[in-house]
Amino acid sequence: MNKERVLQALDKVMDPELGKSLVQLNMVRNIQIDEDKVSFDLILTTPACPLKDTIKADAEKALKEAGASEVKINLDSEVASHKSTANKTSMIDPAAF
């Protein structure tokens, strides 16, 4: 196993809600490889992700199919911050309605 092979396997695993691969979504971090044992951090968009178990199982299956004998996935999350729009004025012209 090597990093490229791990990324190729995980590029086939899709986030069911977003329809893109874990690699495309930059959800795979800190890949560690020890011969045919692989571990990595799986970064979710929210700690309460309802599909985290499915995503984790799919990632583990893909890596085992690629030749990993053991897979350890550490789940973590990064919540994107939203910029406040409280101080912005509306650009909608009420006369248009």
Side-chain angles (χ1 to χ4, degrees):
M1 292 298 294
N2 60 37
K3 186 174 180 179
E4 183 178 320
R5 192 166 178 182
V6 169
L7 289 172
Q8 284 176 344
L10 294 175
D11 196 42
K12 296 174 186 169
V13 180
M14 298 292 162
D15 179 298
E17 288 186 323
L18 302 175
K20 292 185 178 181
S21 79
L22 303 183
V23 175
Q24 289 174 312
L25 294 169
N26 197 29
M27 295 172 73
V28 178
R29 313 253 180 93
N30 304 319
I31 297 170
Q32 302 291 319
I33 302 166
D34 182 11
E35 294 182 22
D36 58 355
K37 297 175 185 172
V38 178
S39 67
F40 67 95
D41 296 336
L42 180 60
I43 310 299
L44 304 169
T45 55
T46 175
C49 178
L51 299 170
K52 65 183 172 188
D53 293 332
T54 301
I55 296 169
K56 184 176 178 180
D58 290 349
E60 187 172 340
K61 180 181 177 193
L63 287 169
K64 287 191 174 183
E65 288 175 356
S69 66
E70 189 177 309
V71 178
K72 182 178 179 192
I73 302 172
N74 307 305
L75 294 177
D76 203 353
S77 64
E78 272 184 11
V79 179
S81 63
H82 296 284
K83 294 182 179 177
S84 173
T85 58
N87 294 330
K88 293 185 179 178
T89 57
S90 175
M91 298 300 286
I92 298 172
D93 180 2
F97 292 102

Coordinates of all heavy atoms in Angstrom, one line a residue:
M1 N 0.8 -1.2 0.0 CA 0.0 0.0 0.0 C 0.9 1.2 0.0 O 1.9 1.3 0.6 CB -0.9 0.0 1.2 CG -2.0 -1.0 1.3 SD -3.2 -1.0 0.0 CE -4.1 0.5 0.3
N2 N 0.4 2.3 -0.7 CA 1.1 3.6 -0.7 C 0.0 4.6 -0.7 O -1.2 4.3 -0.9 CB 2.1 3.7 -1.8 CG 1.5 3.6 -3.2 OD1 0.3 4.0 -3.4 ND2 2.2 3.0 -4.1
K3 N 0.4 5.9 -0.5 CA -0.6 7.0 -0.4 C -1.4 7.1 -1.7 O -2.6 7.3 -1.6 CB 0.2 8.3 -0.1 CG -0.8 9.4 0.2 CD 0.0 10.7 0.6 CE -1.0 11.8 0.9 NZ -0.3 13.0 1.4
E4 N -0.7 7.0 -2.8 CA -1.5 7.1 -4.1 C -2.6 6.0 -4.2 O -3.7 6.3 -4.6 CB -0.5 7.0 -5.3 CG -1.1 7.2 -6.6 CD -0.1 7.1 -7.8 OE1 1.0 7.7 -7.6 OE2 -0.4 6.5 -8.8
R5 N -2.2 4.8 -3.8 CA -3.2 3.7 -3.9 C -4.4 4.0 -3.0 O -5.5 3.7 -3.3 CB -2.5 2.4 -3.6 CG -3.3 1.2 -4.0 CD -2.5 0.0 -3.9 NE -3.3 -1.2 -4.2 CZ -2.8 -2.4 -4.2 NH1 -1.5 -2.6 -4.0 NH2 -3.6 -3.4 -4.5
V6 N -4.1 4.5 -1.8 CA -5.1 4.8 -0.8 C -6.0 5.9 -1.4 O -7.3 5.7 -1.3 CB -4.5 5.2 0.5 CG1 -5.5 5.8 1.5 CG2 -3.8 4.1 1.2
L7 N -5.5 6.9 -1.9 CA -6.3 8.0 -2.5 C -7.1 7.5 -3.7 O -8.3 7.9 -3.8 CB -5.4 9.2 -2.9 CG -4.8 10.0 -1.7 CD1 -3.8 11.0 -2.2 CD2 -5.9 10.6 -0.9
Q8 N -6.5 6.6 -4.5 CA -7.3 6.1 -5.6 C -8.5 5.3 -5.1 O -9.6 5.4 -5.7 CB -6.4 5.2 -6.5 CG -5.5 6.0 -7.4 CD -4.5 5.1 -8.1 OE1 -4.4 3.9 -7.8 NE2 -3.9 5.6 -9.1
A9 N -8.3 4.5 -4.1 CA -9.4 3.7 -3.5 C -10.5 4.6 -2.9 O -11.7 4.4 -3.2 CB -8.9 2.7 -2.5
L10 N -10.0 5.6 -2.2 CA -11.0 6.5 -1.5 C -11.7 7.5 -2.5 O -12.7 8.0 -2.2 CB -10.3 7.3 -0.4 CG -9.9 6.4 0.8 CD1 -9.1 7.2 1.8 CD2 -11.0 5.7 1.4
D11 N -11.1 7.7 -3.7 CA -11.7 8.6 -4.7 C -12.9 7.9 -5.3 O -13.7 8.6 -5.9 CB -10.7 8.9 -5.8 CG -11.1 10.1 -6.6 OD1 -11.6 11.1 -6.0 OD2 -10.9 10.0 -7.8
K12 N -13.1 6.6 -5.0 CA -14.3 5.9 -5.5 C -15.4 5.9 -4.5 O -16.5 5.5 -4.8 CB -13.9 4.5 -5.8 CG -12.9 4.4 -7.0 CD -12.5 2.9 -7.2 CE -11.4 2.9 -8.2 NZ -10.7 1.6 -8.3
V13 N -15.1 6.4 -3.3 CA -16.1 6.4 -2.2 C -16.8 7.8 -2.2 O -16.2 8.8 -2.1 CB -15.5 6.2 -0.8 CG1 -16.5 6.3 0.3 CG2 -14.8 4.9 -0.8
M14 N -18.1 7.8 -2.4 CA -18.9 9.0 -2.6 C -19.6 9.4 -1.3 O -20.1 8.5 -0.5 CB -20.0 8.8 -3.7 CG -19.4 8.6 -5.0 SD -18.5 10.0 -5.6 CE -17.6 9.3 -6.9
D15 N -19.6 10.7 -1.0 CA -20.5 11.2 0.0 C -21.9 11.1 -0.5 O -22.2 11.8 -1.6 CB -20.1 12.7 0.4 CG -21.0 13.2 1.4 OD1 -22.2 13.4 1.2 OD2 -20.5 13.6 2.5
P16 N -22.8 10.4 0.1 CA -24.2 10.2 -0.4 C -25.0 11.5 -0.6 O -25.8 11.6 -1.5 CB -24.8 9.3 0.6 CG -23.7 8.7 1.4 CD -22.6 9.6 1.3
E17 N -24.7 12.4 0.2 CA -25.5 13.7 0.2 C -24.9 14.6 -0.9 O -25.7 15.3 -1.6 CB -25.5 14.4 1.5 CG -26.4 13.7 2.5 CD -26.5 14.5 3.8 OE1 -25.5 15.1 4.3 OE2 -27.6 14.4 4.4
L18 N -23.6 14.7 -0.9 CA -23.0 15.7 -1.8 C -22.7 15.2 -3.2 O -22.4 15.9 -4.1 CB -21.7 16.3 -1.2 CG -22.0 16.9 0.2 CD1 -20.7 17.3 0.8 CD2 -22.9 18.1 0.1
G19 N -22.7 13.9 -3.4 CA -22.4 13.3 -4.7 C -21.0 13.4 -5.2 O -20.8 13.3 -6.4
K20 N -20.1 13.7 -4.3 CA -18.7 13.8 -4.7 C -17.9 12.8 -3.9 O -18.3 12.4 -2.8 CB -18.1 15.2 -4.6 CG -18.8 16.2 -5.5 CD -18.1 17.6 -5.4 CE -18.7 18.5 -6.4 NZ -18.1 19.9 -6.3
S21 N -16.7 12.5 -4.3 CA -15.8 11.6 -3.6 C -15.2 12.2 -2.3 O -15.1 13.4 -2.2 CB -14.7 11.0 -4.5 OG -13.7 11.9 -4.6
L22 N -14.8 11.3 -1.4 CA -14.2 11.8 -0.2 C -12.9 12.6 -0.5 O -12.6 13.6 0.2 CB -13.9 10.6 0.7 CG -15.0 9.7 1.1 CD1 -14.5 8.6 2.1 CD2 -16.1 10.5 1.8
V23 N -12.2 12.2 -1.5 CA -11.0 12.9 -1.9 C -11.3 14.2 -2.5 O -10.7 15.2 -2.2 CB -10.2 12.0 -2.9 CG1 -9.0 12.7 -3.4 CG2 -9.7 10.7 -2.2
Q24 N -12.3 14.3 -3.4 CA -12.7 15.6 -4.0 C -13.2 16.6 -2.9 O -12.9 17.8 -3.1 CB -13.8 15.4 -5.0 CG -13.5 14.7 -6.3 CD -14.7 14.4 -7.1 OE1 -15.7 13.9 -6.6 NE2 -14.6 14.7 -8.4
L25 N -13.8 16.1 -1.9 CA -14.3 16.9 -0.8 C -13.3 17.2 0.2 O -13.6 17.9 1.2 CB -15.5 16.3 -0.2 CG -16.7 16.2 -1.1 CD1 -17.8 15.3 -0.5 CD2 -17.3 17.6 -1.4
N26 N -12.0 16.8 0.0 CA -10.9 17.0 1.0 C -11.3 16.5 2.4 O -11.0 17.1 3.4 CB -10.5 18.5 1.0 CG -9.2 18.7 1.7 OD1 -8.3 17.8 1.6 ND2 -9.0 19.8 2.3
M27 N -12.0 15.3 2.4 CA -12.4 14.7 3.7 C -11.3 13.8 4.3 O -11.4 13.3 5.4 CB -13.7 14.0 3.6 CG -14.8 15.0 3.2 SD -16.4 14.1 2.8 CE -16.9 13.5 4.4
V28 N -10.3 13.4 3.5 CA -9.3 12.5 3.9 C -8.0 13.2 4.3 O -7.5 14.0 3.5 CB -9.0 11.5 2.7 CG1 -7.9 10.5 3.1 CG2 -10.2 10.8 2.3
R29 N -7.6 13.0 5.5 CA -6.4 13.7 6.0 C -5.5 12.8 6.8 O -6.0 11.8 7.3 CB -6.8 14.9 6.9 CG -7.9 15.8 6.4 CD -7.4 17.1 5.9 NE -8.5 17.9 5.4 CZ -9.2 18.8 6.1 NH1 -8.9 19.0 7.3 NH2 -10.2 19.4 5.5
N30 N -4.3 13.1 6.9 CA -3.3 12.4 7.8 C -3.2 10.9 7.5 O -3.3 10.1 8.4 CB -3.6 12.7 9.3 CG -3.7 14.1 9.6 OD1 -2.8 14.9 9.1 ND2 -4.6 14.5 10.4
I31 N -3.0 10.6 6.3 CA -2.9 9.2 5.9 C -1.6 8.6 6.5 O -0.5 9.1 6.3 CB -2.9 9.0 4.4 CG1 -4.2 9.5 3.8 CG2 -2.7 7.5 4.0 CD1 -4.3 9.6 2.3
Q32 N -1.7 7.4 7.2 CA -0.6 6.7 7.7 C -0.6 5.3 7.2 O -1.7 4.7 7.2 CB -0.7 6.7 9.3 CG -0.7 8.0 9.9 CD 0.6 8.8 9.8 OE1 1.7 8.2 9.9 NE2 0.5 10.1 9.5
I33 N 0.5 4.8 6.7 CA 0.6 3.5 6.1 C 1.7 2.7 6.7 O 2.9 3.2 6.8 CB 0.8 3.6 4.6 CG1 -0.3 4.4 3.9 CG2 0.9 2.2 4.0 CD1 -0.1 4.8 2.5
D34 N 1.4 1.5 7.2 CA 2.4 0.6 7.8 C 2.3 -0.7 7.1 O 1.4 -1.5 7.4 CB 2.2 0.5 9.3 CG 3.3 -0.4 9.9 OD1 4.3 -0.7 9.2 OD2 3.1 -0.7 11.1
E35 N 3.1 -0.9 6.0 CA 2.9 -2.1 5.1 C 1.5 -2.1 4.5 O 1.2 -1.3 3.7 CB 3.3 -3.3 5.9 CG 4.8 -3.4 6.3 CD 5.2 -4.6 7.0 OE1 4.5 -5.7 6.8 OE2 6.2 -4.6 7.7
D36 N 0.7 -3.0 4.9 CA -0.7 -3.1 4.4 C -1.8 -2.6 5.4 O -2.9 -2.9 5.2 CB -1.0 -4.5 3.8 CG -0.9 -5.5 4.9 OD1 -0.5 -5.2 6.0 OD2 -1.2 -6.7 4.6
K37 N -1.3 -1.9 6.4 CA -2.3 -1.3 7.4 C -2.4 0.2 7.1 O -1.4 0.9 7.0 CB -1.7 -1.6 8.8 CG -1.7 -3.0 9.2 CD -1.0 -3.2 10.5 CE -0.9 -4.7 10.8 NZ -0.1 -4.9 12.0
V38 N -3.6 0.6 7.1 CA -3.9 2.0 6.7 C -4.7 2.7 7.8 O -5.6 2.1 8.3 CB -4.6 2.1 5.4 CG1 -5.0 3.6 5.0 CG2 -3.9 1.5 4.2
S39 N -4.3 3.9 8.1 CA -5.2 4.7 9.0 C -5.2 6.1 8.5 O -4.3 6.6 7.8 CB -4.6 4.7 10.5 OG -3.4 5.4 10.5
F40 N -6.3 6.8 8.7 CA -6.4 8.2 8.3 C -7.6 8.9 9.1 O -8.4 8.2 9.7 CB -6.7 8.3 6.8 CG -8.0 7.8 6.3 CD1 -9.1 8.6 6.1 CD2 -8.2 6.4 6.0 CE1 -10.3 8.1 5.7 CE2 -9.4 5.9 5.6 CZ -10.4 6.8 5.4
D41 N -7.6 10.2 9.0 CA -8.7 11.0 9.6 C -9.7 11.2 8.5 O -9.4 11.6 7.4 CB -8.2 12.3 10.1 CG -7.2 12.2 11.2 OD1 -7.2 11.1 11.9 OD2 -6.4 13.1 11.4
L42 N -11.0 11.0 8.8 CA -12.1 11.3 7.9 C -12.8 12.5 8.5 O -13.4 12.4 9.6 CB -13.0 10.1 7.8 CG -14.3 10.2 7.0 CD1 -13.9 10.5 5.5 CD2 -15.1 9.0 7.0
I43 N -12.7 13.6 7.8 CA -13.2 14.9 8.3 C -14.6 15.1 7.7 O -14.8 15.3 6.5 CB -12.3 16.1 7.8 CG1 -10.9 15.8 8.2 CG2 -12.8 17.4 8.5 CD1 -10.6 15.6 9.7
L44 N -15.6 15.1 8.6 CA -17.0 15.3 8.2 C -17.4 16.8 8.3 O -16.7 17.5 9.0 CB -17.9 14.5 9.2 CG -17.6 13.0 9.2 CD1 -18.4 12.3 10.4 CD2 -17.9 12.3 7.9
T45 N -18.4 17.2 7.6 CA -18.9 18.6 7.7 C -19.6 18.9 9.0 O -19.7 20.1 9.3 CB -19.8 18.9 6.5 OG1 -20.8 18.0 6.5 CG2 -19.0 18.8 5.2
T46 N -20.1 17.9 9.7 CA -20.8 18.1 10.9 C -20.5 16.9 11.8 O -20.5 15.8 11.3 CB -22.3 18.4 10.7 OG1 -22.9 18.5 12.0 CG2 -22.9 17.3 9.9
P47 N -20.4 17.1 13.1 CA -20.2 15.9 14.0 C -21.4 15.0 14.1 O -21.3 13.9 14.4 CB -19.8 16.5 15.4 CG -20.2 18.0 15.3 CD -20.2 18.4 13.8
A48 N -22.6 15.6 13.7 CA -23.8 14.8 13.8 C -24.2 14.2 12.4 O -25.4 14.0 12.2 CB -24.9 15.7 14.3
C49 N -23.2 14.0 11.6 CA -23.5 13.5 10.2 C -24.3 12.2 10.3 O -23.8 11.2 10.8 CB -22.2 13.3 9.4 SG -22.4 12.7 7.8
P50 N -25.5 12.2 9.7 CA -26.3 11.0 9.8 C -25.8 9.8 9.0 O -26.2 8.7 9.3 CB -27.7 11.4 9.3 CG -27.4 12.6 8.4 CD -26.2 13.3 9.0
L51 N -24.9 10.1 8.1 CA -24.4 9.0 7.2 C -23.0 8.7 7.5 O -22.3 8.0 6.7 CB -24.6 9.5 5.7 CG -26.0 9.8 5.3 CD1 -26.0 10.4 3.9 CD2 -26.8 8.5 5.3
K52 N -22.5 9.1 8.7 CA -21.1 8.8 8.9 C -20.7 7.4 9.0 O -19.7 7.0 8.5 CB -20.6 9.5 10.2 CG -21.3 9.0 11.5 CD -20.9 9.9 12.7 CE -21.7 9.5 13.9 NZ -21.4 10.4 15.0
D53 N -21.6 6.5 9.5 CA -21.3 5.1 9.6 C -21.3 4.5 8.2 O -20.4 3.6 7.9 CB -22.4 4.4 10.4 CG -22.3 4.8 11.9 OD1 -21.1 5.1 12.3 OD2 -23.3 4.7 12.6
T54 N -22.2 4.9 7.3 CA -22.2 4.4 5.9 C -20.9 4.9 5.2 O -20.2 4.0 4.5 CB -23.4 5.0 5.2 OG1 -24.6 4.6 5.8 CG2 -23.4 4.5 3.7
I55 N -20.5 6.1 5.3 CA -19.3 6.6 4.7 C -18.1 5.9 5.2 O -17.2 5.4 4.4 CB -19.1 8.1 4.9 CG1 -20.3 8.9 4.2 CG2 -17.8 8.6 4.4 CD1 -20.4 10.4 4.6
K56 N -18.0 5.7 6.5 CA -16.9 5.0 7.1 C -16.8 3.5 6.6 O -15.7 3.0 6.2 CB -17.0 5.0 8.6 CG -15.9 4.4 9.4 CD -16.0 4.5 10.9 CE -14.9 3.8 11.6 NZ -15.0 4.0 13.1
A57 N -17.9 2.8 6.6 CA -18.0 1.4 6.1 C -17.6 1.4 4.6 O -16.8 0.5 4.2 CB -19.4 0.9 6.3
D58 N -18.0 2.3 3.8 CA -17.7 2.3 2.4 C -16.2 2.6 2.2 O -15.6 1.9 1.3 CB -18.5 3.4 1.6 CG -20.0 3.1 1.5 OD1 -20.4 1.9 1.8 OD2 -20.7 4.0 1.1
A59 N -15.6 3.4 3.0 CA -14.2 3.7 2.9 C -13.4 2.5 3.3 O -12.4 2.2 2.6 CB -13.8 4.9 3.8
E60 N -13.8 1.9 4.4 CA -13.1 0.7 4.8 C -13.1 -0.4 3.8 O -12.1 -1.1 3.5 CB -13.7 0.2 6.1 CG -12.9 -1.0 6.8 CD -13.4 -1.3 8.2 OE1 -14.0 -0.5 8.8 OE2 -13.1 -2.4 8.6
K61 N -14.3 -0.6 3.2 CA -14.5 -1.7 2.2 C -13.6 -1.4 1.0 O -12.9 -2.3 0.4 CB -15.9 -1.7 1.7 CG -16.2 -2.8 0.7 CD -17.7 -2.8 0.3 CE -17.9 -3.8 -0.8 NZ -19.2 -3.6 -1.5
A62 N -13.5 -0.1 0.5 CA -12.7 0.3 -0.7 C -11.3 0.0 -0.4 O -10.5 -0.5 -1.3 CB -13.0 1.7 -1.0
L63 N -10.8 0.3 0.8 CA -9.4 0.1 1.1 C -9.0 -1.4 1.2 O -8.0 -1.8 0.8 CB -9.0 0.9 2.4 CG -8.9 2.4 2.2 CD1 -8.8 3.1 3.5 CD2 -7.7 2.7 1.3
K64 N -9.9 -2.2 1.8 CA -9.7 -3.6 1.9 C -9.6 -4.2 0.5 O -8.8 -5.1 0.2 CB -10.7 -4.3 2.8 CG -10.4 -3.9 4.2 CD -11.2 -4.7 5.2 CE -10.7 -4.4 6.6 NZ -11.3 -5.2 7.6
E65 N -10.5 -3.7 -0.4 CA -10.5 -4.2 -1.8 C -9.2 -3.8 -2.5 O -8.8 -4.5 -3.4 CB -11.7 -3.7 -2.5 CG -13.0 -4.4 -2.1 CD -14.3 -3.8 -2.8 OE1 -14.2 -2.8 -3.5 OE2 -15.4 -4.3 -2.5
A66 N -8.6 -2.7 -2.1 CA -7.4 -2.3 -2.7 C -6.1 -3.0 -2.1 O -5.0 -2.7 -2.6 CB -7.2 -0.8 -2.5
G67 N -6.4 -3.8 -1.1 CA -5.2 -4.6 -0.5 C -4.9 -4.3 0.9 O -3.9 -4.9 1.4
A68 N -5.6 -3.4 1.6 CA -5.3 -3.1 3.0 C -5.8 -4.3 3.8 O -6.9 -4.8 3.6 CB -5.9 -1.8 3.4
S69 N -5.0 -4.8 4.8 CA -5.4 -5.8 5.7 C -6.1 -5.3 6.9 O -6.9 -6.0 7.5 CB -4.2 -6.7 6.1 OG -3.3 -5.9 6.9
E70 N -5.8 -4.1 7.2 CA -6.4 -3.4 8.4 C -6.6 -2.0 8.1 O -5.7 -1.3 7.5 CB -5.4 -3.6 9.6 CG -6.0 -3.2 10.9 CD -5.0 -3.4 12.0 OE1 -4.4 -4.6 12.1 OE2 -4.7 -2.5 12.8
V71 N -7.7 -1.5 8.5 CA -8.1 0.0 8.2 C -8.6 0.6 9.5 O -9.5 0.1 10.2 CB -9.2 0.1 7.2 CG1 -9.5 1.5 6.9 CG2 -8.7 -0.6 5.9
K72 N -7.9 1.7 9.9 CA -8.4 2.5 11.1 C -8.8 3.9 10.6 O -8.0 4.6 10.0 CB -7.3 2.5 12.1 CG -7.7 3.3 13.4 CD -6.7 3.3 14.4 CE -7.2 4.1 15.6 NZ -6.1 4.4 16.6
I73 N -10.0 4.2 10.9 CA -10.5 5.5 10.4 C -10.9 6.3 11.7 O -11.7 5.9 12.5 CB -11.8 5.4 9.5 CG1 -11.4 4.5 8.3 CG2 -12.3 6.7 9.1 CD1 -12.5 4.1 7.4
N74 N -10.3 7.5 11.8 CA -10.6 8.4 12.9 C -11.6 9.4 12.4 O -11.3 10.2 11.5 CB -9.3 9.1 13.4 CG -8.2 8.1 13.7 OD1 -8.4 7.2 14.5 ND2 -7.1 8.3 13.1
L75 N -12.8 9.4 13.0 CA -13.8 10.4 12.5 C -13.6 11.7 13.3 O -13.3 11.8 14.5 CB -15.2 9.9 12.8 CG -15.7 8.7 12.1 CD1 -17.0 8.3 12.5 CD2 -15.7 9.0 10.6
D76 N -13.6 12.8 12.5 CA -13.5 14.2 13.1 C -14.4 15.0 12.2 O -15.0 14.6 11.3 CB -12.1 14.6 13.0 CG -11.7 15.7 14.0 OD1 -12.7 16.2 14.7 OD2 -10.6 16.1 14.1
S77 N -14.6 16.3 12.6 CA -15.4 17.2 11.8 C -14.8 18.6 11.8 O -14.1 19.0 12.7 CB -16.8 17.2 12.4 OG -16.8 17.7 13.7
E78 N -15.2 19.3 10.8 CA -14.9 20.7 10.6 C -16.2 21.4 10.2 O -16.7 21.1 9.1 CB -13.8 20.9 9.5 CG -12.4 20.8 9.9 CD -11.5 21.1 8.8 OE1 -11.9 21.6 7.7 OE2 -10.3 20.9 9.0
V79 N -16.6 22.2 11.0 CA -17.9 22.9 10.7 C -17.5 24.2 10.0 O -16.8 25.1 10.6 CB -18.7 23.2 12.0 CG1 -20.0 23.9 11.6 CG2 -19.0 21.9 12.7
A80 N -18.0 24.4 8.8 CA -17.7 25.7 8.1 C -18.4 26.8 8.7 O -19.5 26.8 9.1 CB -18.2 25.5 6.6
S81 N -17.7 27.9 8.9 CA -18.3 29.1 9.5 C -19.0 29.9 8.4 O -18.6 30.0 7.3 CB -17.2 30.0 10.1 OG -16.3 30.4 9.1
H82 N -20.1 30.4 8.8 CA -20.9 31.3 7.9 C -20.7 32.7 8.3 O -20.8 33.1 9.4 CB -22.4 30.9 8.0 CG -22.7 29.5 7.6 ND1 -22.7 29.1 6.3 CD2 -22.9 28.4 8.3 CE1 -23.0 27.8 6.2 NE2 -23.1 27.3 7.5
K83 N -20.5 33.5 7.3 CA -20.3 35.0 7.5 C -21.7 35.6 7.8 O -22.7 35.3 7.2 CB -19.7 35.6 6.3 CG -18.3 35.2 6.1 CD -17.6 35.9 4.9 CE -16.2 35.4 4.7 NZ -15.6 35.9 3.6
S84 N -21.7 36.4 8.7 CA -23.0 37.1 9.1 C -23.4 38.0 8.1 O -22.7 38.8 7.5 CB -22.7 37.9 10.4 OG -23.9 38.6 10.7
T85 N -24.7 38.0 7.8 CA -25.3 39.0 6.9 C -26.2 40.0 7.6 O -26.9 40.7 7.0 CB -26.2 38.2 5.8 OG1 -27.2 37.5 6.5 CG2 -25.3 37.3 4.9
A86 N -26.1 40.0 8.9 CA -26.9 40.9 9.7 C -26.8 42.3 9.4 O -27.7 43.1 9.5 CB -26.7 40.6 11.2
N87 N -25.6 42.8 9.0 CA -25.3 44.2 8.8 C -25.4 44.6 7.3 O -25.2 45.7 7.0 CB -23.9 44.6 9.3 CG -23.9 44.5 10.8 OD1 -24.9 44.6 11.5 ND2 -22.7 44.2 11.4
K88 N -25.8 43.7 6.5 CA -25.9 44.0 5.1 C -27.4 44.4 4.8 O -28.3 43.9 5.3 CB -25.6 42.8 4.2 CG -24.1 42.4 4.4 CD -23.7 41.3 3.5 CE -22.2 41.0 3.6 NZ -21.8 39.9 2.8
T89 N -27.5 45.4 3.9 CA -28.8 45.8 3.5 C -29.3 45.0 2.3 O -28.5 44.5 1.5 CB -28.8 47.3 3.1 OG1 -27.9 47.5 2.1 CG2 -28.4 48.2 4.3
S90 N -30.6 44.9 2.2 CA -31.2 44.1 1.1 C -31.0 44.8 -0.2 O -31.2 46.0 -0.3 CB -32.7 43.9 1.4 OG -33.3 43.2 0.3
M91 N -30.7 44.0 -1.3 CA -30.6 44.6 -2.6 C -31.9 44.4 -3.4 O -31.9 44.6 -4.6 CB -29.4 44.0 -3.3 CG -28.1 44.2 -2.6 SD -27.6 46.0 -2.4 CE -27.2 46.3 -4.1
I92 N -32.9 43.9 -2.8 CA -34.2 43.7 -3.5 C -35.0 45.0 -3.6 O -35.2 45.6 -2.6 CB -35.0 42.6 -2.8 CG1 -34.2 41.2 -2.8 CG2 -36.3 42.4 -3.5 CD1 -34.8 40.2 -1.9
D93 N -35.4 45.3 -4.8 CA -36.2 46.5 -5.0 C -37.7 46.1 -4.7 O -38.3 45.3 -5.5 CB -36.0 46.9 -6.4 CG -36.9 48.2 -6.7 OD1 -37.5 48.7 -5.8 OD2 -36.8 48.6 -7.9
P94 N -38.3 46.6 -3.6 CA -39.7 46.3 -3.3 C -40.6 46.7 -4.4 O -41.7 46.1 -4.6 CB -40.0 47.0 -2.0 CG -38.8 48.0 -1.8 CD -37.7 47.6 -2.7
A95 N -40.3 47.7 -5.3 CA -41.1 48.1 -6.4 C -41.2 47.0 -7.5 O -42.1 47.1 -8.3 CB -40.6 49.4 -6.9
A96 N -40.3 46.1 -7.4 CA -40.3 45.0 -8.5 C -41.4 44.0 -8.2 O -41.7 43.2 -9.1 CB -38.9 44.3 -8.5
F97 N -42.1 44.1 -7.1 CA -43.1 43.1 -6.8 C -44.5 43.6 -7.0 O -45.0 44.5 -6.9 CB -43.0 42.6 -5.3 CG -41.7 41.8 -5.1 CD1 -40.6 42.4 -4.5 CD2 -41.6 40.5 -5.5 CE1 -39.5 41.7 -4.3 CE2 -40.5 39.8 -5.2 CZ -39.4 40.4 -4.6

